[in-house]
Amino acid sequence: MKTAVIVFPGSNCDRDAAVALERATGKPAEMVWHGNAELPDADLVVLPGGFSYGDYLRSGAMSARSPVMEGVIAHAKSGRPLVGICNGFQVLTEAGLLPGVLMRNADLHFVCKTVGLQITNNETIFTNGYASGQTINVPVAHHDGNYFADDETLDRLEGEGRVAFRYTDNPNGSARDIAGILNDEGNVLGMMPHPERVVDEALGGTDGSALFASLVEALQ
Amino acid sequence: MKARIHITLKNGVLDPQGKAVQNALGSLGFDGVGDVRQGKYMEIELSETDPDKAEKTVELMCQKLLANTVIENYTIKIGD
């Protein structure tokens, strides 16, 4: 199973994502510079967290127009899994692969702490290693994580089971406590919390491991 | 030719930064400050000399990059 992590200027969770992927798959992830015109063939692509382009214009806006994104969009349209974590989630909304937008946190504070996440839908390729309704502990670290979409979009996301994760104690003002959503095909996940940071007990927990294990299982 | 672009949040979209500015103005002693909405202003130099063509190009720029139309509106003025 081949995995790839896209590296933007200002990504800072790319190596964490690569470590989490390697632990789950047993093979190193390919690190792909954002300026590459082509995306190497991969079964799973991760857009990592960070502050790409220093959050210029809007978080994720510049990265969403990077040369490699044409290949990333084609990868998603082909039905293969794509995960955007934190800044990666912002890039996915800016690229139009997921609906809505991540706005400045409602209280204007940068929030950096471990939060409770409820598994809202465990019947996805990303979450089937968790129990439905299970609560896991995963860190967040962001300034722009306040998920916003119009009511019609939110109703559709909820009605179609496309809310993957909800905050148990909303840290940023996100509409309907939404922490992670799926596209309509169910192969693209965007989430603000960092599962790649909790794949080792030495670093504070392993609640993120099941997400990567779920993907490996789904792709085998 | 220069394009002047204002990008503002749509009505109904919460603007916590504008709210913080409003509160700060109040605490500085400015009375009677109502709602504050924060936005962006950009100036773009263009080599195009036809104002209509320039406006169409800048419109595309706004849609493709400069504004996020999920939450933002934009207005364009073309001039010297």
Side-chain angles (χ1 to χ4, degrees):
Chain A
M1 177 177 158
K2 285 190 256 179
T3 61
V5 178
I6 311 297
V7 184
F8 298 100
S11 293
N12 63 10
C13 301
D14 42 332
R15 289 179 60 193
D16 305 56
V19 168
L21 289 170
E22 183 165 353
R23 285 190 179 196
T25 64
K27 289 182 195 159
E30 182 155 358
M31 309 305 279
V32 181
W33 182 239
H34 77 113
N36 287 14
E38 282 184 31
L39 178 70
D41 188 45
D43 302 301
L44 164 65
V45 175
V46 174
L47 306 185
F51 299 88
S52 59
Y53 288 93
D55 286 345
Y56 291 174
L57 192 63
R58 298 175 305 275
S59 298
M62 310 297 285
S63 299
R65 282 83 181 171
S66 283
V68 78
M69 285 304 292
E70 200 172 312
V72 171
I73 290 167
H75 170 93
K77 300 285 180 204
S78 76
R80 284 173 288 176
L82 170 64
V83 184
I85 299 165
C86 195
N87 189 218
F89 186 10
Q90 295 160 344
V91 173
L92 289 176
T93 59
E94 281 285 345
L97 288 171
L98 290 173
V101 55
L102 283 312
M103 298 188 59
R104 181 54 45 99
N105 292 346
D107 64 4
L108 298 174
H109 292 159
F110 188 97
V111 53
C112 182
K113 62 180 182 182
T114 296
V115 299
L117 285 187
Q118 183 208 52
I119 311 298
T120 310
N121 182 358
N122 76 331
E123 293 178 358
T124 80
I125 56 172
F126 307 95
T127 57
N128 60 31
Y130 298 103
S132 180
Q134 180 185 350
T135 298
I136 58 174
N137 295 308
V138 180
V140 293
H142 59 248
H143 212 167
D144 296 318
N146 180 356
Y147 185 72
F148 174 88
D150 58 39
D151 283 334
E152 191 186 326
T153 304
L154 294 170
D155 289 344
R156 197 171 67 244
L157 288 173
E158 289 184 330
E160 295 174 357
R162 289 166 55 191
V163 177
F165 305 100
R166 279 187 216 274
Y167 300 110
T168 56
D169 185 12
N170 193 335
N172 53 29
S174 287
R176 305 190 193 179
D177 300 328
I178 288 172
I181 58 167
L182 300 158
N183 68 340
D184 55 358
E185 303 293 328
N187 67 308
V188 179
L189 169 71
M191 62 189 297
M192 287 312 294
H194 288 275
E196 81 284 10
R197 292 191 190 177
V198 274
V199 295
D200 191 322
E201 281 299 348
L203 298 175
T206 55
D207 281 1
S209 302
L211 186 146
F212 299 98
S214 297
L215 279 166
V216 171
E217 175 104 9
L219 285 165
Q220 272 169 355
Chain B
M1 185 156 285
K2 190 181 271 187
R4 295 175 170 83
I5 305 156
H6 280 95
I7 296 166
T8 52
L9 283 175
K10 288 181 176 175
N11 288 336
V13 176
L14 289 175
D15 181 7
Q17 293 178 96
K19 192 79 189 160
V21 171
Q22 182 186 350
N23 292 341
L25 289 172
S27 61
L28 284 171
F30 292 101
D31 294 330
V33 175
D35 203 20
V36 176
R37 306 282 284 170
Q38 183 175 307
K40 296 188 185 92
Y41 172 71
M42 294 180 204
E43 291 183 347
I44 300 182
E45 294 284 355
L46 299 164
S47 56
E48 178 61 61
T49 51
D50 179 334
D52 290 340
K53 280 187 187 165
E55 180 155 357
K56 283 199 177 102
T57 304
V58 175
E59 173 95 24
L60 273 177
M61 290 177 185
C62 286
Q63 288 169 7
K64 287 194 163 188
L65 177 66
L66 303 180
N68 182 332
T69 55
V70 176
I71 51 166
E72 293 171 329
N73 290 323
Y74 56 85
T75 57
I76 301 164
K77 279 187 188 152
I78 302 290
D80 294 324

